[in-house]
Amino acid sequence: MTERAFLTLEQRHRQKIRRIILLCVLMFVIFVFGCCLGPYAISLKHVLAALFGGGSAHERMVIYDYRLPRLCLAVLVGIGMGSSGVIMQNLLHNDLASPGTLGVADGSSLFVTLYVALIAKKIDQPVLLPVLALAGGMISSVIIYLLGTKKGKPISSTKLIMTGVAMGACYSAAGTFAMYVLDETQLEFIQRWQSGELWGTEWQYILILAVWLFVFLTVLMYQARTLNVIHLGYETASGLGVNMKASFTFFAFLAVGLSSASVAFGGNFFFLGLIGPHIARRIVGTDTRYLIPAAGIVSAVIIVSANILVENVPVFINIPTGIFVSILAVPYFLYLLVKAR
């Protein structure tokens, strides 16, 4: 490799890092802007003071008890769904793959509904939510994989997605049936949660989700190079020494784990796992070492921005954040469908 080529690779690396840093700065600016807005407006100066321990007691209460938890949850949900979308799209070599289109999120949704209906009143343990959501997502994934593949034949991403859509409809129907045993309070919670309501805004929920995502993302980033190889094609990856069966199962588990925890505490944000990676791919390219953090940050920017709008624009108030995200994402989803034809 010539010195010029080496410098070119180094320059590309620095360029991608700079773009990721700029995305982080953008997210921070929008995050702080969200802390300023609300029924009780707080100036930027006072927000920054409150974040670092200053400001009045009332300002600190508004920020730390109401605005900061919701915004932190939005960031974490965006990171989880965006990262999960990258894994699924690279693993299946399909631009339309995501936790929502593959039916994984619907499996998690069903188990969360069953938790609220059957367990929550008897055992109120927040940590059970991501665990049960993960169980639902994993069971859903196994069923979809078994139904969407044939022994001895290559994996068809199109068939998996179609199977996922069908099973997602089945899980949705089962969840709707389970809702009939809910009382009025439980029913309202599930309805808003299924629409994409950022409900887990208590600090204990946020801590659980943060630790969960940290563990899964650390493992994912450590194996990012393997995901890059798989993205080249199953046969190519096998030829380079990748155990495809084990790797497919491993990365599918990571994808389900990331999306399930995000779904459990943040509600259904299906399209984040679809459009976040696509936008990030245009910014930093296809290398998952850069794409995974970029997709997480882009998805976080989308959901935080949507949350600010539904919290402060009168016409959008009381609309679940997920509905607004879907409205923004549907045109892009239709564009991808047309492009894939």
Side-chain angles (χ1 to χ4, degrees):
M1 181 179 290
T2 65
E3 182 178 356
R4 181 178 180 181
F6 176 78
L7 291 175
T8 300
L9 291 174
E10 182 67 21
Q11 289 171 352
R12 290 177 180 176
H13 168 74
R14 291 178 180 177
Q15 183 184 56
K16 292 175 181 179
I17 293 297
R18 283 196 297 267
R19 290 179 178 179
I20 292 174
I21 292 174
L22 288 175
L23 285 174
C24 290
V25 172
L26 174 63
M27 184 177 70
F28 177 76
V29 170
I30 296 175
F31 187 93
V32 174
F33 187 62
C35 290
C36 297
L37 298 179
Y40 177 75
I42 304 176
S43 68
L44 177 61
K45 179 181 177 181
H46 288 177
V47 165
L48 293 176
L51 289 175
F52 291 98
S56 67
H58 183 67
E59 289 172 341
R60 290 197 299 272
M61 181 193 71
V62 170
I63 292 175
Y64 282 99
D65 292 347
Y66 296 99
R67 296 180 187 172
L68 200 58
R70 189 175 179 87
L71 290 169
C72 287
L73 179 61
V75 170
L76 292 175
V77 170
I79 291 174
M81 295 301 287
S83 303
S84 177
V86 171
I87 300 174
M88 291 186 174
Q89 289 172 13
N90 278 29
L91 199 59
L92 296 175
H93 307 142
N94 194 300
D95 291 344
L96 300 179
S98 74
T101 55
L102 282 173
V104 174
D106 289 302
S108 299
S109 174
L110 175 59
F111 270 59
V112 170
T113 302
L114 293 175
Y115 167 79
V116 173
L118 306 175
I119 302 176
K121 285 188 175 182
K122 300 176 183 178
I123 307 175
D124 187 13
Q125 292 293 333
V127 74
L128 283 177
L129 272 171
V131 172
L132 289 173
L134 175 61
M138 287 303 300
I139 292 173
S140 172
S141 300
V142 171
I143 293 174
I144 291 169
Y145 181 81
L146 292 176
L147 294 177
T149 60
K150 286 186 177 182
K151 189 175 181 179
K153 291 189 176 182
I155 298 172
S156 171
S157 59
T158 302
K159 189 173 181 179
L160 280 175
I161 290 176
M162 295 301 295
T163 305
V165 170
M167 292 305 300
C170 179
Y171 298 139
S172 180
T176 302
F177 179 78
M179 288 169 61
Y180 281 100
V181 304
L182 303 178
D183 59 32
E184 185 176 343
T185 302
Q186 292 173 320
L187 182 60
E188 181 182 359
F189 166 76
I190 287 296
Q191 286 177 335
R192 295 191 67 84
W193 176 84
Q194 288 183 341
S195 300
E197 178 67 45
L198 290 166
W199 74 272
T201 54
E202 295 183 20
W203 285 112
Q204 59 176 334
Y205 298 140
I206 295 170
L207 179 60
I208 291 171
L209 180 57
V211 172
W212 185 283
L213 294 183
F214 175 78
V215 172
F216 275 78
L217 287 173
T218 300
V219 175
L220 174 59
M221 290 303 298
Y222 183 74
Q223 294 292 330
R225 291 180 183 274
T226 303
L227 193 58
N228 278 337
V229 176
I230 293 175
H231 185 58
L232 297 175
Y234 300 141
E235 292 183 1
T236 302
S238 297
L240 293 174
V242 176
N243 184 333
M244 274 308 306
K245 185 176 181 180
S247 295
F248 192 97
T249 303
F250 171 74
F251 284 112
F253 174 78
L254 291 181
V256 173
L258 289 166
S259 63
S260 297
S262 303
V263 164
F265 289 120
N268 288 331
F269 289 91
F270 297 142
F271 286 108
L272 276 179
L274 179 68
I275 64 173
H278 281 281
I279 296 174
R281 202 171 282 114
R282 293 177 177 272
I283 297 173
V284 299
T286 59
D287 190 332
T288 53
R289 292 174 298 172
Y290 311 101
L291 181 59
I292 291 168
I297 297 169
V298 168
S299 298
V301 167
I302 292 173
I303 190 174
V304 170
S305 301
N307 178 70
I308 292 174
L309 290 174
V310 301
E311 289 274 299
N312 296 281
V313 178
V315 70
F316 299 135
I317 289 178
N318 290 326
I319 296 177
T321 308
I323 292 179
F324 197 80
V325 171
S326 298
I327 293 173
L328 294 176
V330 163
Y332 195 81
F333 180 68
L334 294 175
Y335 162 74
L336 291 176
L337 283 174
V338 173
K339 182 181 176 182
R341 294 180 59 183

